[in-house]
Amino acid sequence: MSKILRLKNTSFFSVGFDLITLDKPMTYDLYVNSSSHSANEKFVRIFPVNGILTSEDISTFRRKYHQLYISEGQRDMYLRSLSGCIGIEDVQKTEIIKDSAIHYLDTIFDPTKEFSNEVLTETINGCRDSVESMVDVIKDYDVKQVQSLIGDLSFHDFYTYDHSINVSMYCISLFKIVRPKAAREEIVLAGLGGLLHDLGKIKIPTHIINNSGKLDDEQFSMIKKHPKFGFDLLSSSEIDCPGVDFSIVKRIVHEHHENFDGTGYPSGLKGDEIHLLARITAIADFFDAVTTKRSYHEALIPEEALGIMSRSVGKKIDPKLFEIFSNNISQVVSRVYNKELPSDFDPCQPHDVLPFKKIEPKKQQSNFFKKEEQNFGKVAVDEGGKKKKAS
């Protein structure tokens, strides 16, 4: 993860030598820390915005400097430059974008930091920058490729951060399949909604959010309030984020726990009453929760996950969207598991062990063989009086 350093009102984050724009105008300045004492950082600009770096320049920097830095104020420009960096693996680009998203999420989730409308505006603008960069990296990815990419990423010790970023990536991919002609700003909106879907958890005590065991009734009751908390937070704040339709973001945040059959919360919406992007987020939410390997539990392979999810089709999740999602991951859905997740399963929570429950076999009717017993050995006669073969 990138290291964040501060100097008075300015902060800097570290970047790798291999992740710098070459052979075209730079969109950011490069700095080094000229002080050998961590308590007394002194940042000096060594290369200006609009300058053109060559591979020879980078080789010289490697010999002279221990680490390169970029001003926090230019983070968005740096993120946008990543998609044009040739020879860099997508997983490296995604790690950087993920680190940036975590940096912004941490700004509002950190209980030691003072929350304000200004902080929320800065955070959401930063999150949008991260999502835009993610769209550029995975623009040609299908859902299965996104799942593979996520599997190659490192994970953070705060489940909410990783989960939100993964959900964002799945939302981008699934929305592009559902709406292949969608404008870029619509795709970014789908990703931003996924990234912010658990925003309301900033009002939930951390010990409840991070509880990977079974929640008691009081704790689960508190967790169920987070969609409304997030909605109220966005509704009561004056957020300046050009190009973002917050009426839709608010609906995603508010409705991602609504169930397709109307049994969800907080409003008991059902079917098409739930916004399309909220229904997409619900599928992304569920899939990531059971397929991403964590320290708490082993992940299911995609086919097993789809088999488990299929038991919630028409209940928790949209049948048509699930069919599209499933077809873009695997043509074979494993249904060998004779178990399912309970109706109150919360994908937003970490789990020591996924809380599967066994599916009881359906009881056979007591008169199942009655007809066969009555007719066994008898000779049927047609209307003409001719004998027919016994049934």
Side-chain angles (χ1 to χ4, degrees), residues 194-210:
L195 187 59
L196 298 176
H197 76 285
D198 274 342
L199 179 66
K201 285 192 173 181
I202 66 174
K203 287 197 167 187
I204 307 292
T206 304
H207 73 276
I208 295 180
I209 295 176
N210 289 337

Side-chain angles (χ1 to χ4, degrees), residues 146-158:
V146 169
Q147 196 265 336
S148 178
L149 179 61
I150 287 173
D152 290 333
L153 301 176
S154 59
F155 63 83
H156 192 269
D157 58 359
F158 190 11

Side-chain angles (χ1 to χ4, degrees), residues 17 19 39 43 67 73-74 90 164 194 221 236 265 274 303 313 328:
F17 290 93
L19 301 169
F43 292 93
Q67 182 66 65
Q74 294 179 324
D90 283 352
S164 296
S221 178
S236 61
Y265 60 89
I274 308 167
E303 291 74 17
V313 167
N328 277 270

Side-chain angles (χ1 to χ4, degrees), residues 14 66 75 149 154 197 208 305-306 308 318 337 360 362:
S14 58
H66 173 68
R75 183 188 285 267
L149 179 61
S154 59
H197 76 285
I208 295 180
L306 293 174
I308 296 297
D318 184 317
Y337 280 1
E360 297 298 328
K362 292 182 179 179

